[in-house]
């Protein structure tokens, strides 16, 4: 919880900093910025979640977190001060974690439990309201990503493998701010919540997991054509 509060505080600081910079530093007059057109860019940030593995009446929670970063691209249409857009991105992810419960708590005793998101992508609509070269926006759409995890073999009837490795589809929603330094270069800070649904363990055992959900805070740079 303390980490999440810190990350949201950082995002708010970026928003405030962008707003101040919009008034102080611009390479072109702010009124000359038009958000319409195509763009490409890069993003990097941090993702986190808490996974829960179940076995009968027992359950085990453990944190997963790590770096995310990748490429993005999209297209904007500006109508007055309203900006509508479509954006897609794909990111490498190292959002992972593990736990070994001592004393034994199924299904995370002996060999323990692991979980990881190793890549994800999104396709989203964006709706924003431009204050000249400063653009706050809301965004949402579909998500896809590869997830994998494992549980204690003893809890799975000693099958050769007890886990999941699956490319899953889901949804994402969030919000962000973007600041145009000039007509070609903009910077952004963005929060996304991603839900990739509930994978199934590839065994006849009892273990199950909650839906794979995680949050990300990312910063990025875009080049507008």
């Amino acid at each position: 919880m303390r980490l999440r509060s810190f990350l949201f505080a950082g995002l708010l600081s970026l928003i405030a900093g962008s707003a101040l910079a919009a008034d102080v530093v611009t390479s072109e007059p702010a009124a000359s910025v038009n958000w319409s057109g195509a763009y490409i860019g890069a993003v990097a940030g941090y993702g986190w979640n808490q996974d829960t593995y179940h076995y009968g009446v027992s359950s085990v929670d453990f944190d997963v977190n790590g770096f995310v970063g990748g490429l993005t691209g999209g297209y904007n249409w500006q109508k007055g001060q309203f900006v509508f857009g479509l954006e897609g991105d794909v990111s490498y992810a190292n959002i992972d974690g593990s736990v070994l419960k001592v004393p034994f708590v199924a299904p995370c005793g002996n060999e323990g439990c692991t979980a990881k998101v190793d890549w994800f992508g999104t396709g989203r609509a964006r709706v924003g309201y431009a204050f000249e070269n400063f653009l706050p926006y809301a965004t949402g759409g579909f998500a896809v990503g590869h997830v994998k995890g494992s549980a204690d073999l003893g809890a799975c009837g000693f099958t050769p493998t007890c886990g999941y490795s699956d490319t899953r589809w889901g949804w994402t929603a969030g919000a962000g701010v973007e600041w145009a330094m000039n007509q070609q270069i903009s910077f952004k800070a963005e929060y996304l919540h991603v839900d990739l649904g509930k994978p199934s363990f590839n065994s006849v055992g009892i273990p199950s997991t909650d839906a794979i959900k995680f949050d990300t805070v990312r910063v990025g740079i875009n080049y507008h054509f």
Side-chain angles (χ1 to χ4, degrees), residues 91-173:
S91 290
Y92 162 81
N94 189 33
I95 306 174
D96 68 347
S98 62
V99 64
L100 176 62
K101 296 302 291 185
V102 179
F104 181 93
V105 177
C108 299
N110 294 340
E111 293 87 9
C113 292
T114 68
K116 182 175 183 179
V117 180
D118 51 22
W119 67 265
F120 74 97
T122 71
R124 294 171 284 110
R126 298 201 317 170
V127 179
Y129 190 84
F131 297 92
E132 297 177 339
N133 61 337
F134 181 66
L135 178 67
Y137 62 87
T139 184
F142 72 85
V144 60
H146 188 263
V147 299
K148 56 186 177 183
S150 63
D152 176 64
L153 295 181
C156 301
F158 296 98
T159 56
T161 59
C162 183
Y164 57 88
S165 180
D166 194 12
T167 299
R168 299 198 54 82
W169 293 80
W171 61 271
T172 182

Side-chain angles (χ1 to χ4, degrees), residues 32-52:
S32 70
V33 173
N34 188 315
W35 291 94
S36 294
Y39 60 90
I40 59 172
V43 291
Y46 185 80
W48 72 97
N49 180 34
Q50 185 179 75
D51 275 8
T52 302

Side-chain angles (χ1 to χ4, degrees), residues 127-216:
V127 179
Y129 190 84
F131 297 92
E132 297 177 339
N133 61 337
F134 181 66
L135 178 67
Y137 62 87
T139 184
F142 72 85
V144 60
H146 188 263
V147 299
K148 56 186 177 183
S150 63
D152 176 64
L153 295 181
C156 301
F158 296 98
T159 56
T161 59
C162 183
Y164 57 88
S165 180
D166 194 12
T167 299
R168 299 198 54 82
W169 293 80
W171 61 271
T172 182
V177 292
E178 192 166 357
W179 173 67
M181 185 175 72
N182 53 41
Q183 191 62 53
Q184 282 73 47
I185 303 296
S186 67
F187 301 92
K188 72 177 183 179
E190 181 178 71
Y191 163 80
L192 289 180
H193 176 77
V194 180
D195 186 332
L196 294 176
K198 182 177 179 179
S200 298
F201 280 84
N202 56 354
S203 73
V204 295
I206 300 173
S208 64
T209 181
D210 288 346
I212 303 297
K213 303 174 183 178
F214 59 94
D215 299 289
T216 70

Side-chain angles (χ1 to χ4, degrees), residues 4-90:
R4 184 173 299 186
S5 299
F6 174 78
L7 289 168
F8 277 112
L11 180 60
L12 290 175
S13 298
L14 285 168
I15 293 172
S18 296
L20 180 61
D23 292 332
V24 177
V25 180
T26 55
S27 297
E28 297 178 9
S32 70
V33 173
N34 188 315
W35 291 94
S36 294
Y39 60 90
I40 59 172
V43 291
Y46 185 80
W48 72 97
N49 180 34
Q50 185 179 75
D51 275 8
T52 302
Y53 281 15
H54 304 276
Y55 183 87
V57 296
S58 67
S59 63
V60 176
D61 298 328
F62 61 102
D63 293 331
V64 295
N65 52 75
F67 171 82
V68 298
L71 301 176
T72 185
Y75 197 96
N76 290 324
W77 296 266
Q78 184 166 356
K79 183 69 172 179
Q81 287 182 265
F82 286 97
V83 178
F84 305 92
L86 294 174
E87 182 172 283
D89 64 79
V90 60

